[in-house]
């Protein structure tokens, strides 16, 4: 699993299969990693979902290991369902199941193939996205499509809220289509040749705000990177994380990054075009607060965010 968000998506699918009366013979997850302040190794959401359901849990470091492949082959799988596993499956693994390997991908393919389709859709301002159930091949999300479920992207959608929406959508799509997957009645359709885009993995550096940009683009950045890695800027010498914000078309003559007057409790920042109204922010070592509370605690007007 690529991140904590993807873990929950996969855990939803495990629970959905169990609830539908089709529990997997085994659940494969990447090894649990240290988490929290104590850096203790604790079961992640996928591991916990498997353990709660009494399912066999396997956590090999790599599926390229001959021993891990032999263990997987011993299950004699009819079908393998892959959700946000985060590692490419070797050809030998793809060839093991009688019905092949299928993947639930969080976009309408071929748009946003790759690691971060949710965040890329929000950054691009997409108004619709969804889940694609696809037959896996050796390429990166290039396999034929088996089924699609679509949803609308809300104007205030965040990376976290869209993930939750798609997780529920994907679990339901898998439950609906599993009988057809097992009896091979779903007819794979090649992905369209047009409209291919790639959703590159998100880096922390992308969350640094460039105030020269359009306020609409900055708002998308704030929403896409909530809850990770969180859009941020510098207030003086302190990092300021911006959890919620809204773009406005207010005109101004201030340099981008200038904190404008806070009359009426509104905290706005000059952007390259328009302004960004800050709603929820966080300073280091403190909890997230409303921008109004921050403005009440210190003088902001005229300061420059970098």
């Amino acid at each position: 699993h690529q991140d904590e968000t993807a873990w929950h998506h996969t855990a939803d699918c495990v629970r959905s299969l169990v609830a539908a009366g089709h529990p997997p013979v085994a659940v494969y997850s990447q090894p649990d990693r240290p988490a929290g302040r104590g850096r203790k190794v604790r079961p992640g959401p996928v591991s916990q979902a498997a353990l709660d359901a009494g399912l066999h849990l396997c956590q090999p470091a790599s599926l390229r290991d001959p021993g891990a492949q032999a263990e997987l082959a011993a299950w004699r799988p009819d079908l393998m369902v892959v959700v946000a596993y985060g590692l490419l499956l070797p050809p030998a693994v793809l060839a093991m199941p009688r019905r092949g390997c299928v993947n639930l991908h969080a976009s309408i393919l071929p748009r946003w193939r790759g690691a971060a389709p949710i965040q890329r859709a929000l950054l691009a301002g997409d108004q619709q996205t969804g889940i694609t159930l696809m037959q896996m091949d050796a390429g990166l999300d290039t396999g034929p499509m088996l089924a699609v479920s679509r949803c609308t992207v809300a104007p205030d959608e965040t990376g976290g809220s869209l993930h939750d929406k798609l997780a529920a959508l994907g679990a339901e799509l898998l439950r609906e289509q599993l009988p057809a997957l097992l009896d091979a009645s779903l007819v794979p359709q090649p992905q369209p040749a047009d409209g291919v885009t790639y959703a590159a993995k998100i880096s922390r550096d992308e969350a640094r705000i460039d105030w020269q940009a359009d306020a609409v683009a900055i708002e998308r950045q704030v929403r896409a990177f909530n809850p990770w890695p969180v859009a941020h800027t510098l207030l003086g010498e302190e990092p300021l994380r911006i959890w919620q914000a809204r773009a406005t078309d207010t005109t101004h003559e201030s340099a981008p990054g200038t904190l404008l007057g806070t009359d009426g409790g509104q905290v706005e920042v000059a952007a390259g075009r328009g302004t960004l109204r800050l709603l929820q922010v966080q300073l280091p070592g403190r909890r997230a607060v409303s921008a109004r509370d921050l403005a009440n605690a210190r003088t902001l007007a005229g300061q420059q965010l970098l």
Side-chain angles (χ1 to χ4, degrees):
H1 314 280
Q2 297 157 349
D3 53 41
E4 186 74 12
T5 299
W7 287 349
H8 287 285
H9 184 12
T10 314
D12 282 352
C13 290
V14 172
R15 287 188 286 265
S16 180
L17 289 173
V18 172
H22 296 287
V25 294
V27 173
Y28 275 69
S29 173
Q30 288 190 35
D32 296 321
R33 296 181 174 88
R37 292 187 177 181
R39 307 304 294 167
K40 294 182 179 180
V41 177
R42 299 172 183 168
V46 180
S47 303
Q48 194 62 58
L51 295 172
D52 290 345
L55 303 175
H56 192 93
L57 176 65
C58 304
Q59 296 181 287
S62 171
L63 286 176
R64 297 187 180 279
D65 176 70
Q69 290 187 14
E71 181 185 35
L72 182 57
W75 292 109
R76 300 177 62 191
D78 293 309
L79 178 73
M80 285 175 54
V81 179
V82 181
V83 185
Y85 188 56
L87 298 174
L88 289 176
L89 301 187
V93 172
L94 288 172
M96 281 182 192
R98 184 169 59 93
R99 297 297 188 199
C101 299
V102 298
N103 174 239
L104 281 174
H105 185 75
S107 77
I108 305 300
L109 292 170
R111 186 166 177 79
W112 303 129
R113 294 174 180 171
I118 292 175
Q119 292 91 341
R120 297 300 174 194
L122 291 172
L123 287 169
D126 290 0
Q127 296 182 355
Q128 186 182 69
T129 186
I131 293 285
T132 301
L133 178 64
M134 56 166 284
Q135 193 82 43
M136 295 180 69
D137 61 15
L140 178 63
D141 301 325
T142 55
M145 302 165 67
L146 297 163
V148 170
S149 186
R150 302 175 185 272
C151 71
T152 300
V153 178
D156 60 349
E157 204 84 72
T158 66
S161 67
L162 185 54
H163 160 267
D164 291 347
K165 185 183 291 186
L166 292 176
L169 204 64
E172 181 61 25
L173 182 65
L174 178 60
R175 185 169 61 183
E176 289 176 352
Q177 300 297 336
L178 189 62
L181 283 170
L182 294 174
D183 67 18
S185 60
L186 280 180
V187 179
Q189 299 292 329
Q191 293 186 30
D194 297 331
V196 176
T197 58
Y198 289 91
K201 186 177 180 180
I202 297 298
S203 71
R204 291 180 183 272
D205 291 344
E206 290 183 81
R208 177 72 179 267
I209 293 174
D210 176 6
W211 294 104
Q212 300 282 348
D214 189 297
V216 171
I218 300 174
E219 183 199 323
R220 291 175 182 170
Q221 184 182 16
V222 171
R223 292 190 287 109
F225 296 150
N226 176 350
W228 189 89
V230 187
H232 59 273
T233 185
L234 283 178
L235 175 59
E237 296 183 355
E238 291 184 289
L240 181 69
R241 303 173 93 187
I242 301 178
W243 287 92
Q244 293 180 30
R246 293 290 177 270
T248 80
D249 57 5
T250 304
T251 58
H252 62 83
E253 296 182 357
S254 301
T258 303
L259 279 156
L260 305 176
T262 57
D263 291 343
Q266 303 292 351
V267 180
E268 295 189 356
V269 187
R273 179 179 178 183
T275 71
L276 189 75
R277 181 171 297 161
L278 305 185
L279 300 177
Q280 187 180 48
V281 297
Q282 184 179 22
L283 288 168
R286 304 181 189 180
R287 63 183 178 87
V289 299
S290 71
R292 180 179 299 181
D293 286 347
L294 181 65
N296 289 335
R298 60 171 69 188
T299 300
L300 296 180
Q303 291 198 54
Q304 192 81 11
L305 297 180
L306 301 174

